[in-house]
Amino acid sequence: MALKFIDQADLTDKKVIARFDFNVPLDKNDPSIITDTTRIDEALETIKYIFNNGASKLVLMSHLGRPDGKPVAKYSLEPVAKYLAEKLDTDVVLSESALDRSIKTLLNLGETKILLLQNVRFHEEEEKNDREFAKKLAEYGDIYVNDAFGAAHRKHASTYEINAFFKNRAYGGLLLKREISALSKIVESPKTPFVAIVGGAKVSDKIKIIERLLSNVTHLLIGGAMAYPFLKASGYDIGTSLCNDEDIALAKKILREKSGHKIVLPVDHLCSKEFGGEPQVVENRNIPEGLMGLDIGPKTLDIYKEKLSGAKTVLWNGPMGLFENETYSKGTFGIAKILSDAPSDCFTLVGGGDSVSAVNKAGLASKMGHVSTGGGASLEYIEKGNLPGIAALRFGLE
Ligand code: AMP
């Protein structure tokens, strides 16, 4: 049965409990400052929709950081409550804890319309997907909404088990709807040529997605530290570049597969003697002893540009180098620029925290087909075609 979204619900006079992903980055020196509000901004559409369509109360929930099941002051949702109040131009009450006794009183008697529960991960039951905890949360609402795409790959009480208490009253939010619709263009039958660009650091984390993509893509372009195990496995020297034996073994396995020839590897590099040190261009695949690769080189970027020309679907996950350091950011920003110049009949999807932050930093996010709010979630969705948080919304529908 098809998933139901919030725009199919009758919200008149209903109390709505909604899970969002307000796991925003905070300033290291001053955790009251949110350094990137994107995830909250993306949630506003659903929040406003719920209010403009007659709901009487809205209880918001989210996690923030990894407090490991106990209250940790620096992971308080207070800055989120403040930002929401500003954006919605209304009071947003933050409860002392997700299980605070005053919550029900506030919901039944008070004037308060929007209540934000304190970080659900302050309770160890959340990550344990505990049924009793889920039941207590469920008591706050007549209707449940999940709009936390970034947390939908987690099987936690507020994303998964809570659905058991909302048979036929559980809905996906509008952000979840947008994410699923964009990802379906990759998961179902992507228009070809379909080119995937995979970068970042850990082969083992992305191995399944590479295997899954290989059967569908026209080319799979590899960059970042991800490239070195593949180069090593192909017999090239990689100097002191980031690489381990386990990743080389995984790369060998992938290269041996039937579609292994679709993998395209860097032909030149920007290297240094030390991490983030003076840059040195290496004009061929082999990296000399004592040097480490920190970005793809200019010839590689040209080849990747050529492979991307004419593509109808592009998926990008993971940076092409140590892009946080400007000296080694040209490959990553170069890819962002190429994708932003893609013709309108090419659908570009950017997922994964670092590539998303590169696209945002370059001011090119609006030029992409879709920028996913969930790194791990988008990869897992492409790999499996579903996520626990989305599957659970169907509990009551069977
Ligand atoms: P991931 O989380 O797997 O997408 O990896 C992202 C991280 O990989 C970023 O912090 C990058 O700076 C880092 N990275 C990418 N390329 C390299 C490289 N060649 N050497 C070291 N770190 C890299």
Side-chain angles (χ1 to χ4, degrees):
M1 189 146 179
L3 203 60
K4 286 198 290 185
F5 291 97
I6 190 69
D7 46 6
Q8 292 163 269
D10 176 7
L11 299 171
T12 320
D13 295 330
K14 298 287 194 312
K15 280 186 240 158
V16 177
I17 178 156
R19 174 62 154 99
F20 293 94
D21 180 8
F22 296 145
N23 184 27
V24 285
L26 302 174
D27 188 290
K28 283 193 184 71
N29 300 317
D30 182 355
S32 70
I33 299 173
I34 303 171
T35 53
D36 181 353
T37 57
T38 310
R39 284 185 163 156
I40 311 176
D41 298 332
E42 294 283 348
L44 295 174
E45 189 189 5
T46 299
I47 298 177
K48 286 180 185 162
Y49 182 90
I50 292 171
F51 263 111
N52 294 337
N53 285 278
S56 61
K57 305 273 179 187
L58 176 54
V59 181
L60 313 169
M61 17 175 212
S62 177
H63 74 283
L64 175 66
R66 292 172 189 253
D68 290 333
K70 52 188 186 314
V72 178
K74 67 175 176 183
Y75 295 129
S76 165
L77 284 171
E78 198 172 335
V80 175
K82 277 202 186 123
Y83 183 75
L84 278 170
E86 221 176 274
K87 282 284 168 184
L88 297 165
D89 197 19
T90 182
D91 286 343
V92 174
V93 174
L94 176 69
S95 74
E96 233 170 81
S97 103
L99 301 181
D100 201 85
R101 285 220 199 113
S102 62
I103 295 173
K104 281 193 190 155
T105 320
L106 272 175
L107 289 175
N108 290 325
L109 305 171
E111 289 289 296
T112 308
K113 282 216 145 200
I114 304 191
L115 198 140
L116 173 63
L117 300 185
Q118 185 53 281
N119 196 336
V120 281
R121 285 199 193 161
F122 283 0
H123 304 264
E124 61 177 12
E125 296 91 337
E126 164 66 2
E127 291 188 63
K128 289 184 176 157
N129 194 28
D130 182 82
R131 194 170 178 91
E132 273 309 302
F133 181 63
K135 184 167 179 241
K136 285 181 192 151
L137 297 176
E139 283 165 10
Y140 301 143
D142 309 312
I143 281 181
Y144 170 72
V145 177
N146 189 354
D147 207 23
F149 178 76
H153 57 320
R154 308 277 182 223
K155 205 169 176 176
H156 292 169
S158 67
T159 58
Y160 193 84
E161 198 62 22
I162 192 168
N163 288 271
F165 303 96
F166 289 97
K167 292 221 186 287
N168 274 318
R169 290 176 293 125
Y171 299 86
L174 301 174
L175 173 62
L176 200 80
K177 188 176 182 180
R178 269 191 283 132
E179 293 273 8
I180 292 174
S181 140
L183 285 163
S184 68
K185 293 187 188 163
I186 302 270
V187 175
E188 284 154 26
S189 37
K191 286 203 187 125
T192 54
F194 172 21
V195 183
I197 313 160
V198 183
K202 281 187 228 92
V203 178
S204 48
D205 277 9
K206 298 186 186 173
I207 186 98
K208 291 216 176 75
I209 180 83
I210 290 182
E211 285 181 322
R212 161 87 172 77
L213 287 169
L214 264 185
S215 58
N216 275 359
V217 292
T218 317
H219 307 292
L220 198 147
L221 317 179
I222 296 190
M226 187 90 172
Y228 311 118
F230 281 93
L231 286 169
K232 184 82 187 162
S234 311
Y236 296 98
D237 297 328
I238 58 162
T240 52
S241 305
L242 205 67
C243 187
N244 64 49
D245 291 344
E246 188 197 337
D247 288 347
I248 298 170
L250 292 172
K252 268 191 186 145
K253 180 174 163 270
I254 293 179
L255 287 166
R256 271 200 304 265
E257 282 177 21
K258 199 168 88 233
S259 308
H261 66 278
K262 295 179 181 175
I263 290 179
V264 186
L265 297 173
V267 296
D268 62 346
H269 316 270
L270 200 56
C271 299
S272 182
K273 282 191 188 135
E274 70 235 344
F275 203 70
E278 276 300 302
Q280 216 170 303
V281 180
V282 171
E283 289 189 343
N284 63 66
R285 275 201 164 137
N286 286 305
I287 297 177
E289 219 169 289
L291 286 183
M292 64 174 76
L294 291 173
D295 196 6
I296 54 171
K299 272 195 277 175
T300 306
L301 194 59
D302 281 346
I303 293 173
Y304 287 9
K305 186 175 181 178
E306 188 199 311
K307 299 277 180 204
L308 285 161
S309 75
K312 292 279 183 284
T313 309
V314 178
L315 167 70
W316 180 23
N317 183 291
M320 297 289 101
L322 185 67
F323 82 106
E324 297 92 335
N325 179 330
E326 206 188 325
T327 309
Y328 300 101
S329 67
K330 291 190 191 74
T332 303
F333 287 124
I335 293 288
K337 177 81 176 68
I338 294 167
L339 298 193
S340 71
D341 289 338
S344 58
D345 63 344
C346 171
F347 175 69
T348 48
L349 191 146
V350 186
D354 286 310
S355 22
V356 169
S357 104
V359 162
N360 282 333
K361 236 169 142 181
L364 298 173
S366 64
K367 301 222 165 132
M368 304 294 158
H370 182 75
V371 178
S372 179
T373 53
S378 63
L379 283 189
E380 200 172 313
Y381 190 85
I382 292 167
E383 182 196 326
K384 300 179 178 158
N386 207 351
L387 294 174
I390 296 173
L393 284 169
R394 292 197 176 91
F395 274 179
L397 300 175
E398 272 103 37

Coordinates of all heavy atoms in Angstrom, one line a residue, residues 135-203:
K135 N 5.7 4.5 23.4 CA 4.3 4.7 23.7 C 4.1 6.0 24.5 O 3.1 6.7 24.2 CB 3.9 3.5 24.7 CG 2.5 3.4 25.0 CD 2.2 2.1 25.7 CE 0.7 2.1 26.1 NZ 0.5 1.9 27.5
K136 N 5.0 6.3 25.4 CA 4.9 7.6 26.1 C 4.9 8.8 25.1 O 4.2 9.7 25.3 CB 6.0 7.7 27.1 CG 5.8 6.8 28.3 CD 6.9 7.0 29.3 CE 6.8 5.9 30.4 NZ 8.1 5.6 31.0
L137 N 5.8 8.7 24.1 CA 5.9 9.8 23.2 C 4.6 9.9 22.4 O 4.0 10.9 22.1 CB 7.0 9.6 22.2 CG 8.5 9.6 22.8 CD1 9.5 9.3 21.7 CD2 8.8 11.0 23.4
A138 N 4.1 8.7 22.0 CA 2.8 8.6 21.2 C 1.6 9.2 21.9 O 0.7 9.7 21.2 CB 2.6 7.1 20.9
E139 N 1.7 9.2 23.2 CA 0.5 9.8 24.0 C 0.4 11.3 23.8 O -0.7 11.9 24.1 CB 0.7 9.5 25.5 CG 0.3 8.0 25.8 CD 0.8 7.6 27.1 OE1 1.2 8.4 27.9 OE2 0.7 6.3 27.4
Y140 N 1.4 12.0 23.2 CA 1.3 13.4 23.0 C 0.5 13.8 21.8 O 0.2 15.0 21.5 CB 2.7 14.0 22.9 CG 3.6 13.8 24.1 CD1 4.9 13.6 23.9 CD2 3.1 13.9 25.4 CE1 5.8 13.4 25.0 CE2 3.9 13.7 26.5 CZ 5.3 13.5 26.3 OH 6.1 13.3 27.3
G141 N 0.2 12.8 20.9 CA -0.5 13.3 19.6 C -1.6 12.3 19.2 O -1.6 11.2 19.5
D142 N -2.5 12.9 18.3 CA -3.5 12.1 17.7 C -3.0 11.6 16.3 O -3.5 10.6 15.8 CB -4.7 12.9 17.3 CG -5.2 13.7 18.6 OD1 -5.3 13.1 19.6 OD2 -5.5 14.9 18.4
I143 N -2.0 12.3 15.8 CA -1.4 12.0 14.5 C 0.1 12.0 14.6 O 0.6 12.9 15.3 CB -2.0 13.0 13.4 CG1 -3.4 12.6 13.0 CG2 -1.1 13.1 12.2 CD1 -4.0 13.6 12.0
Y144 N 0.8 11.1 13.9 CA 2.2 11.1 13.9 C 2.7 11.5 12.5 O 2.2 11.0 11.5 CB 2.8 9.7 14.3 CG 4.2 9.6 14.1 CD1 5.2 10.2 14.9 CD2 4.7 8.7 13.0 CE1 6.5 10.0 14.7 CE2 6.1 8.6 12.8 CZ 7.0 9.2 13.7 OH 8.4 9.0 13.5
V145 N 3.7 12.3 12.5 CA 4.4 12.7 11.2 C 5.9 12.5 11.3 O 6.5 12.8 12.3 CB 4.1 14.2 10.9 CG1 4.8 14.6 9.6 CG2 2.7 14.5 10.8
N146 N 6.4 11.8 10.3 CA 7.9 11.7 10.2 C 8.4 12.5 9.1 O 8.1 12.2 7.9 CB 8.3 10.2 10.1 CG 9.8 10.1 10.3 OD1 10.5 11.1 10.4 ND2 10.3 8.8 10.3
D147 N 9.2 13.5 9.4 CA 9.8 14.3 8.3 C 11.3 14.3 8.5 O 12.0 15.2 7.9 CB 9.2 15.8 8.4 CG 9.3 16.5 7.0 OD1 9.3 15.7 6.0 OD2 9.3 17.7 7.0
A148 N 11.8 13.4 9.3 CA 13.2 13.4 9.6 C 13.9 12.4 8.6 O 14.4 11.3 9.0 CB 13.4 12.9 11.0
F149 N 14.1 12.9 7.4 CA 14.7 12.0 6.4 C 16.1 11.6 6.8 O 16.5 10.5 6.7 CB 14.7 12.7 5.0 CG 15.4 11.8 4.0 CD1 14.8 10.7 3.5 CD2 16.7 12.0 3.6 CE1 15.4 9.8 2.6 CE2 17.4 11.2 2.7 CZ 16.7 10.1 2.2
G150 N 16.9 12.6 7.4 CA 18.3 12.4 7.8 C 18.4 11.3 8.9 O 19.5 10.8 9.1
A151 N 17.3 11.0 9.6 CA 17.3 10.0 10.6 C 16.5 8.7 10.3 O 16.3 7.9 11.1 CB 16.9 10.6 11.9
A152 N 16.0 8.7 9.0 CA 15.1 7.6 8.6 C 15.8 6.3 8.5 O 15.2 5.2 8.4 CB 14.3 8.0 7.4
H153 N 17.2 6.3 8.4 CA 17.9 5.0 8.4 C 18.1 4.4 9.7 O 18.8 3.4 9.9 CB 19.2 5.1 7.6 CG 20.1 6.2 8.1 ND1 19.7 7.4 8.5 CD2 21.5 6.2 8.2 CE1 20.8 8.1 8.9 NE2 21.9 7.4 8.7
R154 N 17.6 5.1 10.8 CA 17.8 4.6 12.1 C 16.5 4.0 12.6 O 15.4 4.5 12.4 CB 18.1 5.8 13.1 CG 19.3 6.7 12.6 CD 20.6 6.1 13.0 NE 21.7 6.9 12.7 CZ 22.8 6.4 12.1 NH1 22.9 5.1 11.9 NH2 23.8 7.2 11.8
K155 N 16.7 2.9 13.3 CA 15.5 2.2 13.9 C 15.4 2.6 15.3 O 15.8 1.8 16.2 CB 15.7 0.7 13.7 CG 14.5 -0.1 13.6 CD 14.8 -1.6 13.2 CE 13.6 -2.4 13.3 NZ 13.8 -3.8 12.8
H156 N 14.9 3.8 15.6 CA 14.9 4.3 16.9 C 13.4 4.5 17.4 O 12.5 4.5 16.5 CB 15.6 5.6 17.0 CG 17.1 5.4 16.9 ND1 18.0 6.5 16.7 CD2 17.9 4.3 16.8 CE1 19.2 6.0 16.6 NE2 19.2 4.7 16.6
A157 N 13.2 4.7 18.7 CA 11.8 4.8 19.2 C 11.0 5.9 18.5 O 9.9 5.6 18.1 CB 11.9 5.0 20.7
S158 N 11.6 7.1 18.3 CA 10.8 8.2 17.7 C 10.7 8.1 16.2 O 10.0 8.9 15.6 CB 11.4 9.5 18.2 OG 12.7 9.7 17.6
T159 N 11.5 7.2 15.6 CA 11.4 7.1 14.1 C 10.7 5.8 13.7 O 10.2 5.7 12.6 CB 12.8 7.2 13.4 OG1 13.6 6.1 13.9 CG2 13.5 8.5 13.6
Y160 N 10.8 4.8 14.6 CA 10.3 3.5 14.2 C 9.2 2.9 15.0 O 8.1 2.9 14.6 CB 11.5 2.5 14.2 CG 11.3 1.2 13.5 CD1 11.4 1.0 12.1 CD2 10.8 0.1 14.3 CE1 11.1 -0.2 11.5 CE2 10.6 -1.1 13.6 CZ 10.7 -1.3 12.3 OH 10.5 -2.4 11.6
E161 N 9.5 2.6 16.3 CA 8.6 1.9 17.1 C 7.3 2.8 17.4 O 6.2 2.2 17.5 CB 9.2 1.5 18.5 CG 8.5 0.5 19.3 CD 8.4 -0.9 18.6 OE1 9.2 -1.1 17.7 OE2 7.5 -1.6 18.9
I162 N 7.4 4.0 17.4 CA 6.3 4.9 17.7 C 5.2 4.7 16.7 O 4.0 4.8 17.0 CB 6.7 6.4 17.7 CG1 5.6 7.3 18.2 CG2 7.2 6.9 16.3 CD1 6.1 8.7 18.5
N163 N 5.5 4.3 15.4 CA 4.5 4.0 14.4 C 3.5 3.0 14.8 O 2.3 3.0 14.4 CB 5.1 3.6 13.1 CG 5.9 4.7 12.4 OD1 5.3 5.4 11.6 ND2 7.2 4.9 12.8
A164 N 3.9 2.1 15.7 CA 3.0 1.0 16.1 C 1.7 1.6 16.8 O 0.7 0.9 16.9 CB 3.7 0.1 17.1
F165 N 1.8 2.8 17.4 CA 0.7 3.4 18.1 C -0.1 4.3 17.2 O -1.0 5.0 17.7 CB 1.3 4.1 19.3 CG 2.1 3.2 20.2 CD1 3.5 3.2 20.1 CD2 1.4 2.4 21.1 CE1 4.2 2.3 20.9 CE2 2.2 1.5 21.9 CZ 3.6 1.5 21.8
F166 N 0.2 4.4 16.0 CA -0.6 5.3 15.1 C -1.1 4.6 13.8 O -0.9 5.0 12.7 CB 0.3 6.5 14.7 CG 0.6 7.4 15.8 CD1 1.8 7.3 16.5 CD2 -0.3 8.4 16.1 CE1 2.0 8.2 17.6 CE2 -0.1 9.3 17.2 CZ 1.1 9.2 17.9
K167 N -1.8 3.5 14.0 CA -2.3 2.7 12.9 C -3.2 3.6 12.0 O -4.1 4.2 12.6 CB -3.0 1.5 13.3 CG -2.1 0.5 14.0 CD -2.4 -1.0 13.5 CE -1.6 -2.0 14.3 NZ -0.2 -2.1 13.9
N168 N -2.9 3.7 10.8 CA -3.6 4.6 9.9 C -3.6 6.1 10.2 O -4.4 6.9 9.7 CB -5.1 4.1 9.7 CG -5.2 3.1 8.7 OD1 -4.6 3.2 7.6 ND2 -5.9 2.0 9.0
R169 N -2.7 6.4 11.2 CA -2.6 7.9 11.6 C -1.2 8.3 11.5 O -0.8 9.2 12.2 CB -3.2 8.1 13.0 CG -4.7 7.9 13.0 CD -5.2 8.0 14.4 NE -4.8 6.9 15.3 CZ -4.2 7.1 16.4 NH1 -3.8 8.3 16.9 NH2 -3.8 6.0 17.1
A170 N -0.3 7.6 10.7 CA 1.1 7.9 10.6 C 1.3 8.4 9.1 O 0.9 7.8 8.2 CB 1.9 6.7 10.9
Y171 N 2.0 9.6 9.0 CA 2.2 10.2 7.7 C 3.6 10.6 7.5 O 4.3 11.0 8.5 CB 1.3 11.4 7.6 CG -0.2 11.1 7.7 CD1 -0.8 11.1 8.9 CD2 -0.9 10.9 6.5 CE1 -2.1 10.8 9.0 CE2 -2.3 10.6 6.6 CZ -2.9 10.6 7.9 OH -4.2 10.3 8.0
G172 N 4.1 10.6 6.3 CA 5.4 11.2 5.9 C 5.2 12.7 5.8 O 4.1 13.2 5.4
G173 N 6.3 13.5 6.1 CA 6.2 14.9 6.0 C 6.6 15.3 4.6 O 6.9 14.5 3.7
L174 N 6.5 16.6 4.3 CA 6.7 17.1 3.0 C 8.2 17.0 2.5 O 8.5 16.9 1.3 CB 6.2 18.6 2.8 CG 4.7 18.7 3.2 CD1 4.3 20.2 3.2 CD2 3.9 17.9 2.2
L175 N 9.1 17.1 3.5 CA 10.5 17.0 3.1 C 10.8 15.5 2.8 O 11.5 15.2 1.8 CB 11.4 17.4 4.3 CG 12.9 17.1 4.1 CD1 13.5 17.9 2.9 CD2 13.7 17.5 5.4
L176 N 10.3 14.6 3.6 CA 10.4 13.2 3.3 C 9.9 12.9 1.9 O 10.5 12.1 1.1 CB 9.6 12.4 4.3 CG 10.0 10.9 4.5 CD1 11.3 10.8 5.3 CD2 9.0 10.1 5.2
K177 N 8.8 13.5 1.6 CA 8.1 13.3 0.2 C 9.1 13.8 -0.9 O 9.3 13.0 -1.9 CB 6.8 14.1 0.2 CG 6.0 13.8 -1.0 CD 4.7 14.6 -0.9 CE 3.7 14.3 -2.1 NZ 2.5 15.1 -2.0
R178 N 9.7 14.9 -0.7 CA 10.6 15.5 -1.7 C 11.8 14.6 -1.9 O 12.3 14.3 -3.0 CB 11.0 16.9 -1.3 CG 10.1 18.0 -1.9 CD 10.8 19.3 -1.7 NE 10.7 19.8 -0.4 CZ 11.7 20.3 0.3 NH1 12.9 20.4 -0.2 NH2 11.5 20.8 1.6
E179 N 12.3 14.1 -0.7 CA 13.5 13.3 -0.8 C 13.2 12.0 -1.5 O 14.0 11.5 -2.4 CB 14.0 13.0 0.7 CG 14.6 14.2 1.4 CD 16.0 14.4 1.2 OE1 16.6 13.8 0.3 OE2 16.6 15.3 1.9
I180 N 12.1 11.3 -1.2 CA 11.8 10.1 -1.8 C 11.6 10.2 -3.3 O 12.0 9.4 -4.1 CB 10.5 9.4 -1.1 CG1 10.9 9.0 0.3 CG2 10.0 8.2 -1.9 CD1 9.7 8.5 1.1
S181 N 10.9 11.3 -3.6 CA 10.6 11.5 -5.1 C 11.9 11.8 -5.8 O 12.1 11.2 -6.9 CB 9.6 12.7 -5.2 OG 9.9 13.5 -6.2
A182 N 12.9 12.5 -5.2 CA 14.1 12.7 -5.9 C 14.9 11.4 -6.0 O 15.5 11.1 -7.1 CB 14.9 13.8 -5.2
L183 N 15.0 10.7 -4.9 CA 15.8 9.5 -4.9 C 15.2 8.4 -5.8 O 16.0 7.6 -6.4 CB 15.9 9.0 -3.5 CG 16.9 9.8 -2.6 CD1 16.7 9.5 -1.1 CD2 18.3 9.5 -3.0
S184 N 13.9 8.5 -6.0 CA 13.3 7.4 -6.9 C 13.8 7.6 -8.3 O 13.9 6.6 -9.1 CB 11.8 7.5 -6.8 OG 11.4 8.7 -7.4
K185 N 14.3 8.8 -8.7 CA 14.8 9.0 -10.0 C 16.1 8.3 -10.2 O 16.6 8.1 -11.3 CB 15.0 10.5 -10.3 CG 13.7 11.2 -10.4 CD 13.9 12.7 -10.8 CE 12.6 13.4 -10.7 NZ 12.8 14.9 -10.7
I186 N 16.8 8.0 -9.1 CA 18.0 7.2 -9.1 C 17.8 5.7 -8.9 O 18.3 4.9 -9.6 CB 19.0 7.7 -8.0 CG1 19.2 9.2 -8.1 CG2 20.3 6.9 -8.0 CD1 20.4 9.7 -9.0
V187 N 16.9 5.4 -8.0 CA 16.6 4.0 -7.6 C 15.8 3.3 -8.6 O 16.1 2.1 -9.0 CB 15.9 4.0 -6.2 CG1 15.5 2.5 -5.9 CG2 16.7 4.6 -5.1
E188 N 14.8 3.9 -9.2 CA 13.9 3.2 -10.2 C 14.7 3.3 -11.5 O 15.8 3.0 -11.5 CB 12.5 3.8 -10.2 CG 11.8 3.3 -8.9 CD 10.7 4.2 -8.4 OE1 10.1 5.0 -9.2 OE2 10.4 4.1 -7.2
S189 N 14.1 3.7 -12.6 CA 14.9 3.6 -13.8 C 15.6 4.9 -14.2 O 14.9 5.7 -14.8 CB 14.1 3.1 -14.9 OG 12.8 3.7 -14.8
P190 N 16.8 5.1 -13.7 CA 17.5 6.4 -14.0 C 17.7 6.6 -15.5 O 18.0 5.6 -16.2 CB 18.9 6.2 -13.3 CG 19.1 4.8 -13.1 CD 17.7 4.1 -13.0
K191 N 17.5 7.8 -16.0 CA 17.7 8.1 -17.4 C 19.2 8.0 -17.7 O 20.0 8.4 -16.8 CB 17.3 9.5 -17.7 CG 15.8 9.7 -17.7 CD 15.4 10.9 -18.5 CE 13.9 11.2 -18.4 NZ 13.6 12.5 -18.0
T192 N 19.5 7.4 -18.8 CA 20.9 7.2 -19.1 C 21.4 8.2 -20.2 O 20.5 8.7 -20.9 CB 21.2 5.8 -19.7 OG1 20.3 5.6 -20.7 CG2 21.0 4.7 -18.6
P193 N 22.7 8.5 -20.3 CA 23.8 8.0 -19.5 C 23.6 8.4 -18.0 O 23.2 9.6 -17.7 CB 25.0 8.7 -20.1 CG 24.6 9.2 -21.4 CD 23.1 9.4 -21.4
F194 N 23.9 7.5 -17.1 CA 23.9 7.7 -15.7 C 25.3 7.7 -15.2 O 26.0 6.6 -15.3 CB 23.0 6.7 -15.0 CG 23.0 6.6 -13.5 CD1 23.3 7.7 -12.8 CD2 22.6 5.5 -12.9 CE1 23.3 7.7 -11.4 CE2 22.5 5.4 -11.5 CZ 22.9 6.5 -10.7
V195 N 25.8 8.8 -14.6 CA 27.1 8.8 -14.1 C 27.1 9.0 -12.6 O 26.4 9.9 -12.1 CB 28.0 9.9 -14.8 CG1 29.4 9.9 -14.3 CG2 27.9 9.8 -16.3
A196 N 27.8 8.2 -11.8 CA 28.0 8.4 -10.4 C 29.4 8.9 -10.1 O 30.3 8.4 -10.7 CB 27.6 7.1 -9.7
I197 N 29.5 9.8 -9.1 CA 30.8 10.3 -8.7 C 30.8 9.9 -7.2 O 30.0 10.4 -6.4 CB 30.9 11.8 -8.8 CG1 30.5 12.2 -10.2 CG2 32.4 12.2 -8.6 CD1 30.1 13.7 -10.3
V198 N 31.8 9.1 -6.8 CA 31.9 8.7 -5.4 C 33.3 9.1 -4.9 O 34.3 8.8 -5.5 CB 31.7 7.2 -5.2 CG1 31.7 6.8 -3.7 CG2 30.3 6.8 -5.8
G199 N 33.3 9.9 -3.8 CA 34.6 10.3 -3.2 C 34.5 10.1 -1.7 O 33.7 9.3 -1.2
G200 N 35.4 10.8 -1.0 CA 35.4 10.7 0.5 C 36.5 9.8 0.9 O 37.5 9.5 0.1
A201 N 36.4 9.3 2.1 CA 37.5 8.6 2.7 C 37.4 7.1 2.8 O 38.4 6.4 2.6 CB 37.9 9.2 4.1
K202 N 36.2 6.6 3.2 CA 36.2 5.1 3.6 C 35.5 4.2 2.5 O 34.4 4.3 2.3 CB 35.5 4.9 4.9 CG 36.4 5.3 6.1 CD 35.8 4.9 7.4 CE 35.9 6.0 8.4 NZ 34.8 7.0 8.4
V203 N 36.3 3.4 1.9 CA 35.8 2.4 0.9 C 34.8 1.5 1.6 O 33.7 1.3 1.1 CB 36.9 1.5 0.3 CG1 36.3 0.5 -0.7 CG2 37.9 2.4 -0.4

